Amino acid sequence: MPDYNLSHLDQLEAEAIYVLRETAAQFARPALLFSGGKDSIVMAHLARKAFWPARIPFPLVHIDTGHNFSETMTYRDDFVARLGAELVVGSVQASIDSGRVVEEKGPNASRNKLQTVTLLDTIAENRYDACLGGGRRDEEKARAKERFFSHRDDFGQWDPKNQRPELWNIFNGRKHEGEHFRVFPLSNFTEMDVWLYIQRENIPLPSLYFSHEREVFERAGGLLAVTDFVAVQPGENVERRVVRFRTIGDATCTGAVESTAATIEDIIAEVAASRQTERGTRTDDKRSETAMEDRKREGYF
């Protein structure tokens, strides 16, 4: 029975910690997927609380596209050092160099989809049997279909029509050789819950989440940051604007939003008034109507 004396954040925290502990109990070689974004940061923070005073019993796995924002990489290294955790990096560039994947060409080329092969190779190489992800059901319609314990077959594929029931928070982690699970402790958090939890726990974040001035240009209705990884096309005008990022990913497909939100309190007020989901700024989700689900079926996060 739920404890109705707990706040909703307390209940979400307790649920996530329960899932994290179940993962540690049921699997031999679990890992925590860490992108340097707010959701994976919150998940790592919860893992620290779940197993304190012991160290987190999972390595942090970062799939590095090679096209990350420099602020994200700096934060990642500082965060891992503060946590005293093991960091495992899977390199998309190494996958390209070895011929495992072929880099996209053209003005809208992105390495985001290529991450799938690198992730599956990293899972196989390290024999991970469960990978904790920061996905939430409110983010995107494909993610709304996920269970807490989401089975992947021996090809790393997800079948949304053939998922196991999860009754009374009983999670079935049984699998065959070569299969693994993706586990989503933050499933019932919303974007607002994440920000309220960050505020309550005073969790430091990458500076990208807060308003700052930088060079951007408009493409396909969004604002992309000028980086070494994105070629500005004829007719695209570079301007300096005050922006922030609601989600952090590959710089080639992660859009900014114009914003003056410079504090957590400002961001909470902005999220409350927003009518666009945070992934509405991600161009990789707009490649087709089912872009996210297609990628997830193939083994994406």
Side-chain angles (χ1 to χ4, degrees), residues 34-46 48-49 60 71-72 74-83 194-210 248 262-264 267:
F34 187 79
S35 67
K38 67 183 186 309
D39 299 311
S40 62
I41 292 167
V42 166
M43 187 168 57
H45 176 84
L46 284 161
R48 182 174 179 269
K49 295 186 77 170
L60 271 57
E71 295 95 329
T72 304
T74 298
Y75 180 93
R76 182 200 71 180
D77 294 341
D78 291 345
F79 182 84
V80 170
R82 290 198 310 270
L83 211 58
V194 169
W195 283 110
L196 290 171
Y197 189 75
I198 289 168
Q199 179 189 45
R200 189 184 84 170
E201 300 290 302
N202 195 28
I203 302 172
L205 294 175
S207 59
L208 290 168
Y209 280 113
F210 303 94
I248 292 178
T263 66
I264 297 291
I267 292 173

mmCIF file of all heavy atoms in Angstrom, residues 34-46 48-49 60 71-72 74-83 194-210 248 262-264 267:
data_model
loop_
_atom_site.group_PDB
_atom_site.id
_atom_site.type_symbol
_atom_site.label_atom_id
_atom_site.label_comp_id
_atom_site.label_asym_id
_atom_site.label_seq_id
_atom_site.Cartn_x
_atom_site.Cartn_y
_atom_site.Cartn_z
ATOM 1 N N PHE A 34 24.871 6.483 -19.090
ATOM 2 C CA PHE A 34 25.048 7.860 -18.626
ATOM 3 C C PHE A 34 25.393 8.763 -19.805
ATOM 4 O O PHE A 34 26.444 8.618 -20.422
ATOM 5 C CB PHE A 34 26.164 7.927 -17.582
ATOM 6 C CG PHE A 34 26.298 9.278 -16.938
ATOM 7 C CD1 PHE A 34 25.438 9.667 -15.927
ATOM 8 C CD2 PHE A 34 27.282 10.168 -17.351
ATOM 9 C CE1 PHE A 34 25.545 10.911 -15.335
ATOM 10 C CE2 PHE A 34 27.397 11.409 -16.773
ATOM 11 C CZ PHE A 34 26.530 11.788 -15.755
ATOM 12 N N SER A 35 24.487 9.694 -20.100
ATOM 13 C CA SER A 35 24.699 10.596 -21.235
ATOM 14 C C SER A 35 25.228 11.960 -20.813
ATOM 15 O O SER A 35 25.685 12.732 -21.658
ATOM 16 C CB SER A 35 23.370 10.798 -21.973
ATOM 17 O OG SER A 35 22.453 11.505 -21.142
ATOM 18 N N GLY A 36 25.147 12.265 -19.522
ATOM 19 C CA GLY A 36 25.467 13.614 -19.063
ATOM 20 C C GLY A 36 24.259 14.521 -19.081
ATOM 21 O O GLY A 36 24.365 15.699 -18.754
ATOM 22 N N GLY A 37 23.086 13.980 -19.474
ATOM 23 C CA GLY A 37 21.846 14.729 -19.428
ATOM 24 C C GLY A 37 21.183 14.626 -18.065
ATOM 25 O O GLY A 37 21.554 13.782 -17.240
ATOM 26 N N LYS A 38 20.180 15.460 -17.838
ATOM 27 C CA LYS A 38 19.595 15.576 -16.497
ATOM 28 C C LYS A 38 19.006 14.268 -15.990
ATOM 29 O O LYS A 38 19.091 13.967 -14.788
ATOM 30 C CB LYS A 38 18.539 16.673 -16.479
ATOM 31 C CG LYS A 38 17.299 16.386 -17.300
ATOM 32 C CD LYS A 38 16.323 17.552 -17.290
ATOM 33 C CE LYS A 38 15.025 17.196 -17.992
ATOM 34 N NZ LYS A 38 15.221 16.611 -19.339
ATOM 35 N N ASP A 39 18.384 13.466 -16.886
ATOM 36 C CA ASP A 39 17.738 12.241 -16.436
ATOM 37 C C ASP A 39 18.764 11.208 -15.975
ATOM 38 O O ASP A 39 18.569 10.559 -14.944
ATOM 39 C CB ASP A 39 16.862 11.670 -17.554
ATOM 40 C CG ASP A 39 15.757 12.633 -17.965
ATOM 41 O OD1 ASP A 39 15.054 13.138 -17.079
ATOM 42 O OD2 ASP A 39 15.617 12.905 -19.168
ATOM 43 N N SER A 40 19.841 11.054 -16.721
ATOM 44 C CA SER A 40 20.869 10.100 -16.290
ATOM 45 C C SER A 40 21.595 10.611 -15.047
ATOM 46 O O SER A 40 22.030 9.811 -14.213
ATOM 47 C CB SER A 40 21.857 9.816 -17.423
ATOM 48 O OG SER A 40 22.549 10.968 -17.831
ATOM 49 N N ILE A 41 21.692 11.924 -14.899
ATOM 50 C CA ILE A 41 22.296 12.496 -13.692
ATOM 51 C C ILE A 41 21.423 12.189 -12.477
ATOM 52 O O ILE A 41 21.924 11.770 -11.418
ATOM 53 C CB ILE A 41 22.489 14.014 -13.849
ATOM 54 C CG1 ILE A 41 23.558 14.305 -14.908
ATOM 55 C CG2 ILE A 41 22.863 14.665 -12.515
ATOM 56 C CD1 ILE A 41 23.603 15.761 -15.351
ATOM 57 N N VAL A 42 20.109 12.391 -12.619
ATOM 58 C CA VAL A 42 19.190 12.073 -11.526
ATOM 59 C C VAL A 42 19.237 10.587 -11.202
ATOM 60 O O VAL A 42 19.227 10.184 -10.024
ATOM 61 C CB VAL A 42 17.757 12.518 -11.881
ATOM 62 C CG1 VAL A 42 16.725 11.893 -10.933
ATOM 63 C CG2 VAL A 42 17.646 14.034 -11.829
ATOM 64 N N MET A 43 19.286 9.734 -12.228
ATOM 65 C CA MET A 43 19.345 8.292 -12.000
ATOM 66 C C MET A 43 20.609 7.907 -11.235
ATOM 67 O O MET A 43 20.558 7.092 -10.295
ATOM 68 C CB MET A 43 19.278 7.557 -13.335
ATOM 69 C CG MET A 43 19.166 6.059 -13.186
ATOM 70 S SD MET A 43 18.748 5.239 -14.747
ATOM 71 C CE MET A 43 20.097 5.797 -15.801
ATOM 72 N N ALA A 44 21.740 8.487 -11.592
ATOM 73 C CA ALA A 44 22.987 8.203 -10.875
ATOM 74 C C ALA A 44 22.919 8.721 -9.443
ATOM 75 O O ALA A 44 23.423 8.073 -8.507
ATOM 76 C CB ALA A 44 24.172 8.824 -11.619
ATOM 77 N N HIS A 45 22.296 9.884 -9.246
ATOM 78 C CA HIS A 45 22.106 10.423 -7.896
ATOM 79 C C HIS A 45 21.254 9.477 -7.054
ATOM 80 O O HIS A 45 21.562 9.207 -5.887
ATOM 81 C CB HIS A 45 21.434 11.802 -7.997
ATOM 82 C CG HIS A 45 21.097 12.415 -6.677
ATOM 83 N ND1 HIS A 45 22.003 13.141 -5.927
ATOM 84 C CD2 HIS A 45 19.937 12.419 -5.960
ATOM 85 C CE1 HIS A 45 21.429 13.560 -4.818
ATOM 86 N NE2 HIS A 45 20.174 13.142 -4.808
ATOM 87 N N LEU A 46 20.182 8.949 -7.650
ATOM 88 C CA LEU A 46 19.323 7.995 -6.943
ATOM 89 C C LEU A 46 20.078 6.704 -6.621
ATOM 90 O O LEU A 46 19.898 6.119 -5.543
ATOM 91 C CB LEU A 46 18.097 7.686 -7.799
ATOM 92 C CG LEU A 46 17.020 8.772 -7.838
ATOM 93 C CD1 LEU A 46 16.102 8.574 -9.041
ATOM 94 C CD2 LEU A 46 16.208 8.770 -6.546
ATOM 95 N N ARG A 48 23.218 6.467 -6.041
ATOM 96 C CA ARG A 48 24.102 6.788 -4.912
ATOM 97 C C ARG A 48 23.337 6.699 -3.593
ATOM 98 O O ARG A 48 23.840 6.148 -2.604
ATOM 99 C CB ARG A 48 24.689 8.181 -5.102
ATOM 100 C CG ARG A 48 25.666 8.624 -4.015
ATOM 101 C CD ARG A 48 26.295 9.964 -4.381
ATOM 102 N NE ARG A 48 27.217 10.417 -3.357
ATOM 103 C CZ ARG A 48 26.865 11.196 -2.329
ATOM 104 N NH1 ARG A 48 25.603 11.592 -2.204
ATOM 105 N NH2 ARG A 48 27.748 11.567 -1.423
ATOM 106 N N LYS A 49 22.111 7.227 -3.576
ATOM 107 C CA LYS A 49 21.296 7.158 -2.369
ATOM 108 C C LYS A 49 20.868 5.724 -2.065
ATOM 109 O O LYS A 49 20.800 5.309 -0.901
ATOM 110 C CB LYS A 49 20.047 8.048 -2.516
ATOM 111 C CG LYS A 49 20.346 9.529 -2.623
ATOM 112 C CD LYS A 49 19.078 10.375 -2.610
ATOM 113 C CE LYS A 49 18.511 10.507 -1.216
ATOM 114 N NZ LYS A 49 17.428 11.517 -1.147
ATOM 115 N N LEU A 60 29.262 3.348 -15.018
ATOM 116 C CA LEU A 60 28.551 4.329 -15.833
ATOM 117 C C LEU A 60 29.036 4.174 -17.268
ATOM 118 O O LEU A 60 30.240 4.276 -17.528
ATOM 119 C CB LEU A 60 28.802 5.751 -15.326
ATOM 120 C CG LEU A 60 27.839 6.277 -14.251
ATOM 121 C CD1 LEU A 60 27.829 5.373 -13.024
ATOM 122 C CD2 LEU A 60 28.196 7.699 -13.852
ATOM 123 N N GLU A 71 30.715 21.200 -23.002
ATOM 124 C CA GLU A 71 30.220 21.356 -21.629
ATOM 125 C C GLU A 71 29.773 20.016 -21.047
ATOM 126 O O GLU A 71 29.948 19.747 -19.855
ATOM 127 C CB GLU A 71 29.050 22.344 -21.599
ATOM 128 C CG GLU A 71 29.410 23.777 -21.976
ATOM 129 C CD GLU A 71 29.164 24.073 -23.444
ATOM 130 O OE1 GLU A 71 29.281 23.140 -24.292
ATOM 131 O OE2 GLU A 71 28.847 25.235 -23.752
ATOM 132 N N THR A 72 29.184 19.167 -21.900
ATOM 133 C CA THR A 72 28.721 17.857 -21.444
ATOM 134 C C THR A 72 29.892 16.984 -21.043
ATOM 135 O O THR A 72 29.852 16.297 -20.009
ATOM 136 C CB THR A 72 27.914 17.156 -22.549
ATOM 137 O OG1 THR A 72 26.836 17.997 -22.963
ATOM 138 C CG2 THR A 72 27.361 15.830 -22.063
ATOM 139 N N THR A 74 32.941 17.886 -20.101
ATOM 140 C CA THR A 74 33.570 18.396 -18.883
ATOM 141 C C THR A 74 32.766 17.988 -17.662
ATOM 142 O O THR A 74 33.319 17.524 -16.652
ATOM 143 C CB THR A 74 33.689 19.928 -18.941
ATOM 144 O OG1 THR A 74 34.517 20.289 -20.048
ATOM 145 C CG2 THR A 74 34.286 20.485 -17.657
ATOM 146 N N TYR A 75 31.441 18.142 -17.760
ATOM 147 C CA TYR A 75 30.584 17.760 -16.644
ATOM 148 C C TYR A 75 30.700 16.260 -16.368
ATOM 149 O O TYR A 75 30.795 15.837 -15.207
ATOM 150 C CB TYR A 75 29.122 18.125 -16.930
ATOM 151 C CG TYR A 75 28.197 17.738 -15.803
ATOM 152 C CD1 TYR A 75 27.876 18.640 -14.801
ATOM 153 C CD2 TYR A 75 27.673 16.454 -15.721
ATOM 154 C CE1 TYR A 75 27.050 18.273 -13.744
ATOM 155 C CE2 TYR A 75 26.856 16.077 -14.667
ATOM 156 C CZ TYR A 75 26.541 16.995 -13.692
ATOM 157 O OH TYR A 75 25.732 16.624 -12.642
ATOM 158 N N ARG A 76 30.664 15.453 -17.428
ATOM 159 C CA ARG A 76 30.741 13.995 -17.256
ATOM 160 C C ARG A 76 31.955 13.580 -16.445
ATOM 161 O O ARG A 76 31.859 12.812 -15.481
ATOM 162 C CB ARG A 76 30.783 13.308 -18.626
ATOM 163 C CG ARG A 76 30.819 11.789 -18.574
ATOM 164 C CD ARG A 76 31.352 11.192 -19.867
ATOM 165 N NE ARG A 76 32.792 11.423 -20.018
ATOM 166 C CZ ARG A 76 33.523 11.007 -21.054
ATOM 167 N NH1 ARG A 76 32.927 10.367 -22.046
ATOM 168 N NH2 ARG A 76 34.819 11.247 -21.108
ATOM 169 N N ASP A 77 33.114 14.095 -16.820
ATOM 170 C CA ASP A 77 34.350 13.706 -16.147
ATOM 171 C C ASP A 77 34.378 14.169 -14.699
ATOM 172 O O ASP A 77 34.813 13.426 -13.806
ATOM 173 C CB ASP A 77 35.553 14.254 -16.909
ATOM 174 C CG ASP A 77 35.700 13.634 -18.292
ATOM 175 O OD1 ASP A 77 35.130 12.559 -18.525
ATOM 176 O OD2 ASP A 77 36.376 14.248 -19.150
ATOM 177 N N ASP A 78 33.897 15.386 -14.438
ATOM 178 C CA ASP A 78 33.846 15.890 -13.066
ATOM 179 C C ASP A 78 32.854 15.084 -12.226
ATOM 180 O O ASP A 78 33.126 14.747 -11.064
ATOM 181 C CB ASP A 78 33.448 17.375 -13.050
ATOM 182 C CG ASP A 78 34.527 18.286 -13.615
ATOM 183 O OD1 ASP A 78 35.682 17.817 -13.743
ATOM 184 O OD2 ASP A 78 34.225 19.453 -13.926
ATOM 185 N N PHE A 79 31.701 14.763 -12.813
ATOM 186 C CA PHE A 79 30.662 14.030 -12.087
ATOM 187 C C PHE A 79 31.146 12.636 -11.704
ATOM 188 O O PHE A 79 30.971 12.190 -10.563
ATOM 189 C CB PHE A 79 29.409 13.945 -12.961
ATOM 190 C CG PHE A 79 28.239 13.262 -12.308
ATOM 191 C CD1 PHE A 79 27.387 13.969 -11.467
ATOM 192 C CD2 PHE A 79 27.977 11.913 -12.533
ATOM 193 C CE1 PHE A 79 26.302 13.344 -10.864
ATOM 194 C CE2 PHE A 79 26.892 11.289 -11.935
ATOM 195 C CZ PHE A 79 26.055 12.004 -11.106
ATOM 196 N N VAL A 80 31.752 11.938 -12.652
ATOM 197 C CA VAL A 80 32.234 10.584 -12.386
ATOM 198 C C VAL A 80 33.315 10.607 -11.310
ATOM 199 O O VAL A 80 33.353 9.735 -10.420
ATOM 200 C CB VAL A 80 32.767 9.938 -13.681
ATOM 201 C CG1 VAL A 80 33.485 8.625 -13.389
ATOM 202 C CG2 VAL A 80 31.617 9.688 -14.657
ATOM 203 N N ALA A 81 34.178 11.612 -11.343
ATOM 204 C CA ALA A 81 35.229 11.728 -10.330
ATOM 205 C C ALA A 81 34.631 11.963 -8.951
ATOM 206 O O ALA A 81 35.071 11.361 -7.955
ATOM 207 C CB ALA A 81 36.184 12.861 -10.702
ATOM 208 N N ARG A 82 33.630 12.855 -8.873
ATOM 209 C CA ARG A 82 32.985 13.130 -7.578
ATOM 210 C C ARG A 82 32.281 11.888 -7.041
ATOM 211 O O ARG A 82 32.263 11.643 -5.834
ATOM 212 C CB ARG A 82 31.960 14.262 -7.713
ATOM 213 C CG ARG A 82 32.529 15.631 -7.945
ATOM 214 C CD ARG A 82 31.515 16.723 -7.622
ATOM 215 N NE ARG A 82 30.222 16.500 -8.265
ATOM 216 C CZ ARG A 82 29.895 16.955 -9.475
ATOM 217 N NH1 ARG A 82 30.792 17.629 -10.180
ATOM 218 N NH2 ARG A 82 28.702 16.724 -9.981
ATOM 219 N N LEU A 83 31.689 11.106 -7.938
ATOM 220 C CA LEU A 83 30.930 9.929 -7.538
ATOM 221 C C LEU A 83 31.845 8.757 -7.184
ATOM 222 O O LEU A 83 31.443 7.837 -6.472
ATOM 223 C CB LEU A 83 30.004 9.527 -8.698
ATOM 224 C CG LEU A 83 28.675 8.871 -8.377
ATOM 225 C CD1 LEU A 83 27.827 9.772 -7.492
ATOM 226 C CD2 LEU A 83 27.929 8.552 -9.663
ATOM 227 N N VAL A 194 11.240 15.757 -12.618
ATOM 228 C CA VAL A 194 12.709 15.724 -12.645
ATOM 229 C C VAL A 194 13.277 17.055 -12.163
ATOM 230 O O VAL A 194 14.194 17.102 -11.336
ATOM 231 C CB VAL A 194 13.215 15.380 -14.061
ATOM 232 C CG1 VAL A 194 14.724 15.598 -14.156
ATOM 233 C CG2 VAL A 194 12.874 13.943 -14.414
ATOM 234 N N TRP A 195 12.720 18.161 -12.682
ATOM 235 C CA TRP A 195 13.228 19.469 -12.273
ATOM 236 C C TRP A 195 12.935 19.770 -10.805
ATOM 237 O O TRP A 195 13.786 20.346 -10.107
ATOM 238 C CB TRP A 195 12.658 20.557 -13.174
ATOM 239 C CG TRP A 195 13.326 20.602 -14.508
ATOM 240 C CD1 TRP A 195 12.797 20.249 -15.712
ATOM 241 C CD2 TRP A 195 14.681 20.981 -14.774
ATOM 242 N NE1 TRP A 195 13.729 20.386 -16.703
ATOM 243 C CE2 TRP A 195 14.898 20.829 -16.161
ATOM 244 C CE3 TRP A 195 15.727 21.427 -13.968
ATOM 245 C CZ2 TRP A 195 16.120 21.124 -16.750
ATOM 246 C CZ3 TRP A 195 16.954 21.717 -14.563
ATOM 247 C CH2 TRP A 195 17.138 21.557 -15.939
ATOM 248 N N LEU A 196 11.772 19.368 -10.317
ATOM 249 C CA LEU A 196 11.454 19.572 -8.901
ATOM 250 C C LEU A 196 12.388 18.746 -8.015
ATOM 251 O O LEU A 196 12.813 19.201 -6.944
ATOM 252 C CB LEU A 196 9.993 19.205 -8.618
ATOM 253 C CG LEU A 196 8.938 20.152 -9.196
ATOM 254 C CD1 LEU A 196 7.541 19.554 -9.031
ATOM 255 C CD2 LEU A 196 9.011 21.529 -8.534
ATOM 256 N N TYR A 197 12.720 17.541 -8.476
ATOM 257 C CA TYR A 197 13.625 16.686 -7.711
ATOM 258 C C TYR A 197 15.040 17.257 -7.724
ATOM 259 O O TYR A 197 15.732 17.260 -6.696
ATOM 260 C CB TYR A 197 13.610 15.269 -8.280
ATOM 261 C CG TYR A 197 14.344 14.276 -7.412
ATOM 262 C CD1 TYR A 197 13.789 13.821 -6.228
ATOM 263 C CD2 TYR A 197 15.607 13.805 -7.773
ATOM 264 C CE1 TYR A 197 14.470 12.914 -5.414
ATOM 265 C CE2 TYR A 197 16.295 12.907 -6.981
ATOM 266 C CZ TYR A 197 15.715 12.466 -5.796
ATOM 267 O OH TYR A 197 16.407 11.574 -4.989
ATOM 268 N N ILE A 198 15.475 17.750 -8.869
ATOM 269 C CA ILE A 198 16.789 18.390 -8.950
ATOM 270 C C ILE A 198 16.857 19.572 -7.997
ATOM 271 O O ILE A 198 17.857 19.783 -7.290
ATOM 272 C CB ILE A 198 17.078 18.836 -10.398
ATOM 273 C CG1 ILE A 198 17.339 17.614 -11.288
ATOM 274 C CG2 ILE A 198 18.255 19.808 -10.464
ATOM 275 C CD1 ILE A 198 17.344 17.908 -12.769
ATOM 276 N N GLN A 199 15.785 20.360 -7.957
ATOM 277 C CA GLN A 199 15.735 21.504 -7.047
ATOM 278 C C GLN A 199 15.805 21.039 -5.592
ATOM 279 O O GLN A 199 16.580 21.589 -4.789
ATOM 280 C CB GLN A 199 14.449 22.293 -7.286
ATOM 281 C CG GLN A 199 14.285 23.501 -6.382
ATOM 282 C CD GLN A 199 12.903 24.127 -6.508
ATOM 283 O OE1 GLN A 199 11.887 23.417 -6.522
ATOM 284 N NE2 GLN A 199 12.848 25.443 -6.621
ATOM 285 N N ARG A 200 15.004 20.042 -5.243
ATOM 286 C CA ARG A 200 14.969 19.568 -3.853
ATOM 287 C C ARG A 200 16.305 18.990 -3.413
ATOM 288 O O ARG A 200 16.769 19.232 -2.280
ATOM 289 C CB ARG A 200 13.876 18.501 -3.689
ATOM 290 C CG ARG A 200 13.634 18.129 -2.243
ATOM 291 C CD ARG A 200 12.621 17.017 -2.092
ATOM 292 N NE ARG A 200 13.221 15.695 -2.255
ATOM 293 C CZ ARG A 200 12.584 14.549 -1.982
ATOM 294 N NH1 ARG A 200 11.325 14.588 -1.569
ATOM 295 N NH2 ARG A 200 13.190 13.392 -2.156
ATOM 296 N N GLU A 201 16.947 18.230 -4.306
ATOM 297 C CA GLU A 201 18.195 17.550 -3.960
ATOM 298 C C GLU A 201 19.429 18.407 -4.214
ATOM 299 O O GLU A 201 20.546 17.982 -3.909
ATOM 300 C CB GLU A 201 18.298 16.249 -4.749
ATOM 301 C CG GLU A 201 17.176 15.266 -4.485
ATOM 302 C CD GLU A 201 17.251 14.660 -3.098
ATOM 303 O OE1 GLU A 201 18.299 14.052 -2.787
ATOM 304 O OE2 GLU A 201 16.276 14.787 -2.327
ATOM 305 N N ASN A 202 19.233 19.587 -4.805
ATOM 306 C CA ASN A 202 20.338 20.509 -5.102
ATOM 307 C C ASN A 202 21.418 19.817 -5.940
ATOM 308 O O ASN A 202 22.610 19.844 -5.615
ATOM 309 C CB ASN A 202 20.946 21.052 -3.796
ATOM 310 C CG ASN A 202 21.830 22.260 -4.046
ATOM 311 O OD1 ASN A 202 21.635 23.012 -5.002
ATOM 312 N ND2 ASN A 202 22.816 22.451 -3.190
ATOM 313 N N ILE A 203 20.989 19.214 -7.054
ATOM 314 C CA ILE A 203 21.889 18.458 -7.921
ATOM 315 C C ILE A 203 22.496 19.401 -8.959
ATOM 316 O O ILE A 203 21.758 20.048 -9.711
ATOM 317 C CB ILE A 203 21.125 17.325 -8.628
ATOM 318 C CG1 ILE A 203 20.477 16.392 -7.601
ATOM 319 C CG2 ILE A 203 22.058 16.544 -9.548
ATOM 320 C CD1 ILE A 203 19.552 15.353 -8.210
ATOM 321 N N PRO A 204 23.815 19.497 -9.040
ATOM 322 C CA PRO A 204 24.434 20.351 -10.066
ATOM 323 C C PRO A 204 24.251 19.768 -11.459
ATOM 324 O O PRO A 204 24.222 18.545 -11.633
ATOM 325 C CB PRO A 204 25.915 20.381 -9.657
ATOM 326 C CG PRO A 204 26.118 19.131 -8.864
ATOM 327 C CD PRO A 204 24.819 18.855 -8.166
ATOM 328 N N LEU A 205 24.132 20.657 -12.459
ATOM 329 C CA LEU A 205 23.867 20.242 -13.838
ATOM 330 C C LEU A 205 24.837 20.911 -14.802
ATOM 331 O O LEU A 205 25.445 21.938 -14.467
ATOM 332 C CB LEU A 205 22.436 20.629 -14.235
ATOM 333 C CG LEU A 205 21.275 19.951 -13.518
ATOM 334 C CD1 LEU A 205 19.968 20.568 -13.980
ATOM 335 C CD2 LEU A 205 21.281 18.454 -13.756
ATOM 336 N N PRO A 206 24.969 20.389 -16.024
ATOM 337 C CA PRO A 206 25.764 21.077 -17.045
ATOM 338 C C PRO A 206 25.192 22.466 -17.325
ATOM 339 O O PRO A 206 23.969 22.675 -17.288
ATOM 340 C CB PRO A 206 25.624 20.165 -18.272
ATOM 341 C CG PRO A 206 25.265 18.830 -17.722
ATOM 342 C CD PRO A 206 24.447 19.088 -16.501
ATOM 343 N N SER A 207 26.062 23.402 -17.645
ATOM 344 C CA SER A 207 25.649 24.788 -17.875
ATOM 345 C C SER A 207 24.722 24.933 -19.077
ATOM 346 O O SER A 207 23.999 25.931 -19.187
ATOM 347 C CB SER A 207 26.883 25.666 -18.069
ATOM 348 O OG SER A 207 27.663 25.202 -19.172
ATOM 349 N N LEU A 208 24.716 23.952 -19.974
ATOM 350 C CA LEU A 208 23.861 24.013 -21.163
ATOM 351 C C LEU A 208 22.386 24.142 -20.820
ATOM 352 O O LEU A 208 21.599 24.679 -21.613
ATOM 353 C CB LEU A 208 24.050 22.753 -22.017
ATOM 354 C CG LEU A 208 25.387 22.602 -22.753
ATOM 355 C CD1 LEU A 208 25.507 21.178 -23.289
ATOM 356 C CD2 LEU A 208 25.489 23.597 -23.879
ATOM 357 N N TYR A 209 21.979 23.645 -19.675
ATOM 358 C CA TYR A 209 20.574 23.678 -19.290
ATOM 359 C C TYR A 209 20.086 25.078 -18.920
ATOM 360 O O TYR A 209 18.883 25.314 -18.858
ATOM 361 C CB TYR A 209 20.314 22.737 -18.116
ATOM 362 C CG TYR A 209 20.180 21.288 -18.527
ATOM 363 C CD1 TYR A 209 21.135 20.348 -18.149
ATOM 364 C CD2 TYR A 209 19.106 20.863 -19.295
ATOM 365 C CE1 TYR A 209 21.018 19.017 -18.522
ATOM 366 C CE2 TYR A 209 18.979 19.534 -19.682
ATOM 367 C CZ TYR A 209 19.933 18.618 -19.292
ATOM 368 O OH TYR A 209 19.812 17.299 -19.676
ATOM 369 N N PHE A 210 21.030 25.986 -18.668
ATOM 370 C CA PHE A 210 20.663 27.327 -18.220
ATOM 371 C C PHE A 210 20.924 28.343 -19.338
ATOM 372 O O PHE A 210 21.772 28.129 -20.203
ATOM 373 C CB PHE A 210 21.445 27.686 -16.961
ATOM 374 C CG PHE A 210 21.235 26.698 -15.844
ATOM 375 C CD1 PHE A 210 22.116 25.641 -15.657
ATOM 376 C CD2 PHE A 210 20.142 26.809 -15.003
ATOM 377 C CE1 PHE A 210 21.920 24.715 -14.648
ATOM 378 C CE2 PHE A 210 19.928 25.886 -13.984
ATOM 379 C CZ PHE A 210 20.819 24.839 -13.804
ATOM 380 N N ILE A 248 19.891 17.177 -23.721
ATOM 381 C CA ILE A 248 21.286 17.220 -24.157
ATOM 382 C C ILE A 248 21.618 15.920 -24.884
ATOM 383 O O ILE A 248 21.390 14.826 -24.363
ATOM 384 C CB ILE A 248 22.237 17.417 -22.960
ATOM 385 C CG1 ILE A 248 22.043 18.810 -22.360
ATOM 386 C CG2 ILE A 248 23.684 17.227 -23.390
ATOM 387 C CD1 ILE A 248 22.899 19.073 -21.136
ATOM 388 N N ALA A 262 17.618 31.284 -16.045
ATOM 389 C CA ALA A 262 18.999 31.164 -15.582
ATOM 390 C C ALA A 262 19.120 30.404 -14.268
ATOM 391 O O ALA A 262 20.232 30.150 -13.793
ATOM 392 C CB ALA A 262 19.611 32.553 -15.417
ATOM 393 N N THR A 263 17.984 30.030 -13.655
ATOM 394 C CA THR A 263 18.001 29.299 -12.392
ATOM 395 C C THR A 263 17.027 28.122 -12.487
ATOM 396 O O THR A 263 16.186 28.056 -13.390
ATOM 397 C CB THR A 263 17.566 30.192 -11.227
ATOM 398 O OG1 THR A 263 16.181 30.551 -11.401
ATOM 399 C CG2 THR A 263 18.414 31.459 -11.145
ATOM 400 N N ILE A 264 17.138 27.207 -11.534
ATOM 401 C CA ILE A 264 16.212 26.075 -11.483
ATOM 402 C C ILE A 264 14.774 26.579 -11.360
ATOM 403 O O ILE A 264 13.854 26.071 -12.013
ATOM 404 C CB ILE A 264 16.544 25.145 -10.304
ATOM 405 C CG1 ILE A 264 17.943 24.533 -10.466
ATOM 406 C CG2 ILE A 264 15.490 24.050 -10.177
ATOM 407 C CD1 ILE A 264 18.069 23.545 -11.579
ATOM 408 N N ILE A 267 13.508 27.707 -14.648
ATOM 409 C CA ILE A 267 13.239 26.586 -15.544
ATOM 410 C C ILE A 267 11.928 25.906 -15.174
ATOM 411 O O ILE A 267 11.126 25.555 -16.049
ATOM 412 C CB ILE A 267 14.411 25.585 -15.523
ATOM 413 C CG1 ILE A 267 15.655 26.218 -16.172
ATOM 414 C CG2 ILE A 267 14.031 24.286 -16.243
ATOM 415 C CD1 ILE A 267 16.905 25.382 -16.049
#
